[in-house]
Amino acid sequence: MVLAHAVRGRAPGGREQMMLRQDLPAQRSGPAGRSSAPGPGAPSSASSASPPSRLLTWLGRLGAPAAAFAVFQTLLGILPQNLAGEAARYCVAATAGAGVGAVVWLSAALLHARAAAATAARAPSSGPAPSPARSLPALVDGTYEALRRGLSVIEIPGRGPLTGWPHSLAESDPPVHPTAFGTAYGLHLLLDIAPYDGRIRAGEVAETLWRLRLPDGGWAARSQGSGARPEVTAIVLGALARAGADPRLLDAEIRSCEALLDPDHDAPGLANTYVVTNVLRGMLRAAPGSTALGGLREVLVNGATADPVRGNHRCWGAALATGRGNPAPSVVHTARAVVALDRAAQVLGEDERQRAVREEGLRWLLAGASPLSGRASDLDNCQEEVRRPGQEDPLHQELLSVRHFTAAWVARALMTDGARQVAAQGVGLPAWEAQLTAAVARVRGMQQAGVWRWDDGPMGHPVWMAYQGLSVLRRHALMVYRP
């Protein structure tokens, strides 16, 4: 009910500033990390054979020894008798025969290689299996080992033992205090991996999240002070719900999270796409029957804006378009919104207007630069700063630095249930497949042995990035699988 008022606008001047900046493009993706998507059928090689191919076919049908002997006999018969004696005639003929024999052998080898490549392209399932170092199971094993190495197990007076993760897998030596955000995504990742052993116990991680709960309820990032924030609380609640937390304990925290969505409490947050999409996805997991979900989705739907550069399709920026100008369109925020609205449609259903806005977001993404053009700006990672008035002192601002794994979000949006149909009605399936393949290749290329890297600093291996990256690769592998 309170969310119905959130569409009226942002807080008065000075209460919110948001900035989006481009990070360096991820250059680690490449052919070695490229995942394949089903493509259009290849044309028949017989119907498109060129004259050089027909010549190679004719030469390949001749045995190399037979061709060499034929040339030798022919030259021996036509060379003049006075060519420096009989030995010279034999030498010239033998040399020419050997040369032709080598050409025929190379032609046959080329034909064999071309036939093998064509067979592999037509039937990829019958080709050799990928090497274990590049297989998805090996990558999952690498992620699990990284989780084990990055796990922090410490004792905090007054809170008891904590078993979880800080923000990054690279900042736990020596063990540092686990955070609610890192531990929630670590639990999500652990539940996705479903390891065969109990070296990391999901129950202990879930219990740690309860111990990280703030005194007044809810959770916050370590840079956000002592007051709960809805975008972190919803993510934690979603992880706890997946882990099978007691519904009675969850209900109390869900009500607290719903109270955080009051515009009078957090107007800057409800005007921010990152915050709203985080809360919507987390609450759909933790409380699919919550009455706040409908109003939260309306905030997101009303926050879309038309982009004349890309066919006037509606999209999203870092700020929601809730009556104060048109925010700059953003690939990652549009992809985040599409994913959140797709999940909401599966749980809550959707009307024609909500469906139209969600599909327009997909069309906007599909109208971006083709990956074949060599421009990858739509997949470049970016960083955002969300500013709010401080909870303890409103004269000071609370700063939340948010990093976006753009390729992962684009891939997730293009793998939603309706994306293929929207593409078929617009840009076409080949364009959809090409953009999805490029996004998945970028995601895979940014990891090494199951660890995703933002940069080389102590905060450069975020737990959330590993979760998003592995989720994309698993989803894509299931999507392209054909029994």
Side-chain angles (χ1 to χ4, degrees), residues 463-477:
V463 181
W464 58 263
M465 195 174 187
Y467 168 71
Q468 291 179 6
L470 191 59
S471 297
V472 166
L473 297 186
R474 291 175 70 252
R475 170 77 173 176
H476 187 254

Side-chain angles (χ1 to χ4, degrees), residues 312-478:
N312 235 19
H313 299 309
R314 278 175 283 189
C315 60
W316 286 263
L320 292 170
T322 50
R324 293 208 172 218
N326 294 321
S330 163
V331 171
V332 69
H333 292 91
T334 299
R336 291 182 67 103
V338 167
V339 171
L341 292 176
D342 177 76
R343 293 187 185 178
Q346 294 179 24
V347 175
L348 308 175
E350 62 183 356
D351 57 29
E352 289 299 322
R353 173 175 168 270
Q354 294 160 350
R355 178 180 179 182
V357 173
R358 176 177 59 83
E359 290 184 347
E360 280 197 50
L362 279 168
R363 292 189 181 93
W364 186 88
L365 290 173
L366 290 166
S370 169
L372 301 179
S373 67
R375 296 172 55 195
S377 59
D378 273 10
L379 301 179
D380 289 349
N381 292 333
C382 60
Q383 189 164 331
E384 170 185 3
E385 293 178 350
V386 180
R387 297 178 183 270
R388 292 177 168 110
Q391 298 185 54
E392 292 83 7
D393 183 2
L395 295 179
H396 292 82
Q397 288 190 333
E398 169 194 293
L399 176 64
L400 178 65
S401 181
V402 180
R403 294 184 287 182
H404 297 289
F405 191 178
T406 305
W409 283 108
V410 171
R412 291 167 82 174
L414 294 180
M415 287 190 288
T416 55
D417 290 341
R420 184 183 180 92
Q421 182 179 356
V422 169
Q425 297 170 351
V427 298
L429 292 181
W432 168 71
E433 290 168 354
Q435 287 188 327
L436 176 57
T437 299
V440 173
R442 175 68 70 89
V443 170
R444 184 160 191 141
M446 291 189 70
Q447 62 81 32
Q448 185 175 9
V451 178
W452 270 261
R453 177 178 296 177
W454 183 277
D455 55 41
D456 294 325
M459 303 291 287
H461 301 162
V463 181
W464 58 263
M465 195 174 187
Y467 168 71
Q468 291 179 6
L470 191 59
S471 297
V472 166
L473 297 186
R474 291 175 70 252
R475 170 77 173 176
H476 187 254
L478 292 173

Side-chain angles (χ1 to χ4, degrees), residues 208-265:
T208 294
L209 285 174
W210 285 116
R211 291 173 179 169
L212 292 174
R213 176 180 171 272
L214 296 171
D216 294 331
W219 291 263
R222 61 185 173 187
S223 65
Q224 290 181 311
S226 60
R229 288 304 187 187
E231 66 273 17
V232 181
T233 299
I235 292 297
V236 172
L237 290 175
L240 288 171
R242 283 190 66 194
D246 188 336
R248 293 169 297 180
L249 296 177
L250 282 177
D251 285 344
E253 296 303 323
I254 288 168
R255 289 193 293 272
S256 297
C257 186
E258 291 172 343
L260 295 174
L261 302 176
D262 188 335
D264 293 334
H265 176 80

Side-chain angles (χ1 to χ4, degrees), residues 169-187:
L169 293 170
E171 59 170 325
S172 58
D173 188 20
V176 297
H177 197 296
T179 66
F181 200 75
T183 301
Y185 273 108
L187 181 56

